[in-house]
Amino acid sequence: MRIAVTGSIATDHLMTFEGRFTDSLVVDQLDKISLSFLVEDLDVRRGGIAANIAFGMGCLGLDPVLVGAVGQDFADYRSWLERHRVDTASVHVSELRHTARFVCTTDSDHAQIASFYAGAMREARDIELAPIAERIGGIDLVVVSANDPEAMLRHTEECRTRGYPFLADPGQQIAWMDGAGIRQLVDGATYLFSNEYEAALTEQKTGWTAEEILDRVGTRVTTLGPKGVRFDAKDEPSIHVECAPEDRKVDPTGLGDGFRAGFLAALGWGLALERCAQVGSLLAAYVIETKGTQEYELGQRRFLERFAGAYGPDAAAEVAPHVRCPRP
């Protein structure tokens, strides 16, 4: 299955605050807020939603096509991704701007305060999908994840025009887009991904009910945090999948990207939605157990052992022929 993953490619600057943000907030003074937090450490990591998803897919043995815009400072990052089976030939390199930056501080409750510098990502709107499809012999699915809003709109419109199935995953960009833009992103999607808050915001901004959204998309996938994930399709019963247990909680950054990577990998293997969600949930557990979004390592044997422990030996037997982790 030829999957093109569009979206942000960025460098993550991750900091840890040992206290709680809420201890520094005065509710009736929020309109005058001016705070700084003394952090304990700084990790500079590779990130960006599309890159995180593509990396995870590569770790499971697929060859995803990464589509996005970066700066001249991308050379080392490109080599890293290519070593993990990611096709970067369709990444646009800006002559003027740096690769995007994500700056995030996480407190002891795993609450986060973050900012994002778009940089070269603004040029993603100049990328056309048709030449990419021609280069790789066709596209079976386009993932439209959070990116420059104009790029997201262009990609979804081109998918509808050219008949490319697409997965709409606007994420945090929903907060900044108006209802008309969100309707354009959602309409006709084969899959629509969001968390519970984003799902409610989508309905509020578009003016569509949950039922009306299901009239316009194939399958709606809603992540529920520690409660797992739910799949909804028109005239079909909902499917609920529990989270895979994690060994420890280190950093939640990129958790959703890991889930999407595992889901897409299993989808590429031709597995059913329930199994796709299970693979995604286990990969998400690996992400939360490490500092950074691409720092986990998958071992074939251990991955399947954990999968069997979480979802049973029959589920593991179904996944085992497909998993191709780089380590034994």
Side-chain angles (χ1 to χ4, degrees):
M1 188 175 187
R2 293 158 299 191
I3 300 176
V5 185
T6 77
S8 63
I9 304 168
T11 302
D12 291 345
H13 295 246
L14 307 176
M15 293 166 280
T16 302
F17 173 56
E18 295 297 335
R20 300 167 68 243
F21 294 140
T22 54
D23 292 339
S24 300
L25 298 177
V26 180
V27 174
D28 61 358
Q29 296 293 315
L30 292 180
D31 59 329
K32 305 179 184 67
I33 191 169
S34 177
L35 295 172
S36 65
F37 299 94
L38 184 63
V39 298
E40 300 299 320
D41 53 31
L42 167 65
D43 284 311
V44 181
R45 306 286 187 178
R46 308 169 189 90
I49 292 171
N52 291 340
I53 293 172
F55 172 84
M57 294 172 66
C59 287
L60 286 168
L62 282 82
D63 300 286
V65 178
L66 179 61
V67 181
V70 298
Q72 298 284 344
D73 52 346
F74 183 61
D76 288 344
Y77 196 171
R78 183 192 299 274
S79 297
W80 164 265
L81 291 170
E82 289 178 348
R83 290 198 303 272
H84 290 86
R85 303 186 60 141
V86 178
D87 179 338
T88 65
S90 294
V91 172
H92 167 81
V93 180
S94 171
E95 296 181 358
L96 302 174
R97 298 178 174 92
H98 293 293
T99 301
R101 300 283 190 274
F102 174 66
V103 182
C104 181
T105 304
T106 303
D107 75 359
S108 58
D109 287 338
H110 292 283
Q112 295 181 315
I113 295 176
S115 58
F116 190 85
Y117 161 72
M121 191 178 79
R122 298 185 186 280
E123 298 180 25
R125 65 185 66 182
D126 300 327
I127 299 173
E128 185 178 2
L129 298 176
I132 300 171
E134 183 177 353
R135 178 178 70 83
I136 65 176
I139 297 177
D140 298 306
L141 183 68
V142 177
V143 178
V144 183
S145 65
N147 199 355
D148 171 71
E150 291 299 321
M152 298 167 70
L153 293 171
R154 175 175 184 172
H155 295 335
T156 52
E157 182 59 31
E158 187 176 355
C159 285
R160 283 187 289 266
T161 300
R162 300 188 184 277
Y164 304 146
F166 69 97
L167 184 157
D169 184 19
Q172 294 177 345
Q173 293 293 41
I174 289 177
W176 308 108
M177 300 184 73
D178 61 19
I182 298 170
R183 286 192 291 270
Q184 185 176 339
L185 287 177
V186 168
D187 200 19
T190 304
Y191 303 95
L192 171 61
F193 269 66
S194 62
N195 60 32
E196 284 185 290
Y197 177 79
E198 293 161 353
L201 194 58
T202 297
E203 293 167 18
Q204 175 186 313
K205 286 198 168 189
T206 61
W208 290 339
T209 65
E211 291 74 18
E212 288 172 327
I213 289 176
L214 289 179
D215 286 335
R216 291 170 167 84
V217 305
T219 301
R220 191 175 189 184
V221 184
T222 307
T223 56
L224 310 172
K227 298 178 182 178
V229 60
R230 186 181 69 245
F231 295 87
D232 294 291
K234 187 173 178 61
D235 300 325
E236 298 287 341
S238 293
I239 300 172
H240 180 261
V241 175
E242 298 286 345
C243 291
E246 68 273 353
D247 292 337
R248 58 192 176 280
K249 291 182 179 179
V250 175
D251 182 5
T253 308
L255 186 64
D257 304 340
F259 173 80
R260 286 153 175 77
F263 174 90
L264 288 164
L267 191 69
W269 298 332
L271 301 184
L273 290 180
E274 181 179 12
R275 210 63 82 222
C276 292
Q278 291 169 347
V279 175
S281 294
L282 180 54
L283 194 61
Y286 275 86
V287 174
I288 201 172
E289 292 166 358
T290 56
K291 185 79 169 180
T293 58
Q294 298 178 26
E295 304 304 319
Y296 56 89
E297 294 185 351
L298 301 184
Q300 181 104 356
R301 186 180 305 107
R302 178 58 179 155
F303 185 90
L304 292 172
E305 287 175 351
R306 291 187 66 174
F307 195 85
Y311 301 112
D314 291 343
E318 188 175 346
V319 168
H322 305 286
V323 177
R324 293 292 180 271
C325 298
R327 296 177 182 275

